């Protein structure tokens, strides 16, 4: 059973600060990793994907991947109140019929206060 | 480009009744997935279609759940008969392997309440 673990939070940061969200995964063979943002009552929205070790930046978002440590993180710079949401870490299944399915963590609730 | 759509947005049924959920994927996406989130738990995989074929249905809880994707376009998920533990939010997602890898795009979900 593949597991994806996230800091349950909630995480609260002031506007303009850096929010750091962390995720670990159990399957060493995992190759593809995703961060979704979910506002209350809405669908998960894909905000970042990362496949290689290192950092990937997109605007105010940076995803970091360390496969040796089985660790993936999301940094949000200059946090805004509109970033307040639940952030879901997801890992793709590998091999056989499970290729393609996503394994999710329970999510970290982020609140950015003005 | 229209996103993934789901119908209904909310359904309340009694234990023992039947409910059918519908998902329309993004046009041209061959891969269609069903997921479910039960209160307090993580989103969990149910099954995966590639076009009209079931690629992986190992996440389906039991034989009360039946998914179809006739013609490889929209999909339906039927629960018959519904039990209390079937309550949750059912999400549909679609993807098209290629430059985007396995990036999946989710619909708004159907909130199912079984009373």
């Amino acid at each position: 059973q593949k597991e994806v673990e996230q800091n349950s939070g909630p995480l609260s940061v002031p506007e303009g600060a850096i929010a750091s969200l962390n995720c670990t995964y159990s399957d060493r063979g995992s190759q593809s990793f995703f961060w979704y943002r979910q506002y209350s009552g809405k669908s998960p929205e894909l905000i970042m994907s990362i496949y290689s070790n290192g950092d990937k930046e997109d605007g105010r978002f940076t995803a970091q991947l360390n496969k040796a440590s089985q660790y993936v993180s999301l940094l949000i710079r200059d946090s805004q109140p509109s970033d307040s949401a639940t952030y879901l870490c997801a890992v793709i299944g590998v091999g056989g019929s499970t290729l393609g399915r996503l394994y999710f963590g329970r999510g970290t609730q982020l609140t950015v206060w003005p | 480009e229209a996103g993934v759509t789901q119908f209904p947005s909310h359904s309340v049924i009694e234990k023992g009744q039947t409910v059918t959920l519908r998902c329309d994927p993004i046009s041209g996406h061959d891969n269609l997935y069903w997921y479910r989130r039960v209160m307090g738990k993580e989103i969990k995989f149910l099954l995966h279609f590639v076009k009209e074929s079931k690629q992986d249905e190992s996440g389906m809880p039991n034989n009360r759940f039946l998914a179809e994707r006739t013609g490889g376009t929209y999909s339906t998920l039927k629960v018959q008969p519904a039990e209390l533990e079937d309550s949750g939010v059912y999400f549909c997602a679609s993807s098209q392997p290629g430059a985007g890898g396995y990036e999946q795009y989710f619909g708004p979900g159907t909130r199912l309440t079984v009373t």
Side-chain angles (χ1 to χ4, degrees):
Chain A
Q1 176 69 25
K2 296 176 173 57
E3 292 185 357
V4 178
E5 300 287 342
Q6 293 184 246
N7 298 38
S8 59
L11 176 65
S12 180
V13 301
E15 184 174 357
I18 296 175
S20 178
L21 304 159
N22 304 315
C23 173
T24 58
Y25 59 95
S26 62
D27 190 339
R28 186 169 290 277
S30 299
Q31 298 293 324
S32 304
F33 308 87
F34 307 90
W35 283 99
Y36 286 82
R37 176 177 62 196
Q38 187 175 24
Y39 294 111
S40 181
K42 302 296 185 181
S43 62
E45 175 193 4
L46 180 64
I47 56 172
M48 288 290 283
S49 59
I50 186 165
Y51 307 101
S52 303
N53 275 329
D55 295 357
K56 178 182 178 182
E57 187 175 315
D58 184 0
R60 296 185 296 110
F61 298 98
T62 299
Q64 299 174 318
L65 175 61
N66 184 326
K67 291 183 180 179
S69 300
Q70 295 176 234
Y71 175 90
V72 58
S73 66
L74 179 71
L75 299 179
I76 306 174
R77 291 183 303 281
D78 188 24
S79 295
Q80 301 297 308
S82 58
D83 295 327
S84 298
T86 296
Y87 288 80
L88 304 168
C89 175
V91 178
I92 208 83
V94 294
S97 63
T98 67
L99 183 63
R101 69 159 76 175
L102 289 173
Y103 295 86
F104 281 90
R106 293 195 179 192
T108 299
Q109 185 177 342
L110 171 67
T111 300
V112 181
W113 44 277
Chain B
E1 178 183 83
V4 177
T5 59
Q6 293 185 245
F7 182 83
S9 58
H10 195 180
S11 180
V12 181
I13 61 172
E14 293 183 353
K15 176 182 174 180
Q17 289 186 323
T18 297
V19 64
T20 300
L21 314 180
R22 173 170 171 147
C23 168
D24 287 78
I26 293 172
S27 178
H29 280 195
D30 289 341
N31 292 287
L32 187 150
Y33 306 83
W34 284 98
Y35 293 87
R36 177 175 72 174
R37 186 166 198 168
V38 173
M39 186 177 293
K41 300 291 185 65
E42 68 274 20
I43 296 173
K44 285 195 172 179
F45 168 86
L46 295 177
L47 88 158
H48 170 201
F49 283 100
V50 177
K51 296 184 180 179
E52 67 275 10
S53 299
K54 291 178 185 175
Q55 172 77 11
D56 178 6
E57 56 181 328
S58 61
M60 295 285 261
N62 50 60
N63 59 10
R64 295 185 294 102
F65 289 74
L66 176 64
E68 295 180 326
R69 191 182 183 195
T70 306
T73 55
Y74 71 91
S75 174
T76 58
L77 179 64
K78 179 189 289 187
V79 184
Q80 179 182 30
E83 298 289 346
L84 297 179
E85 63 265 26
D86 301 333
S87 296
V89 182
Y90 290 77
F91 290 105
C92 175
S94 71
S95 74
Q96 185 67 340
Y102 293 95
E103 296 178 353
Q104 295 180 23
Y105 299 91
F106 280 72
T110 294
R111 180 174 296 277
L112 175 64
T113 303
V114 183
T115 63

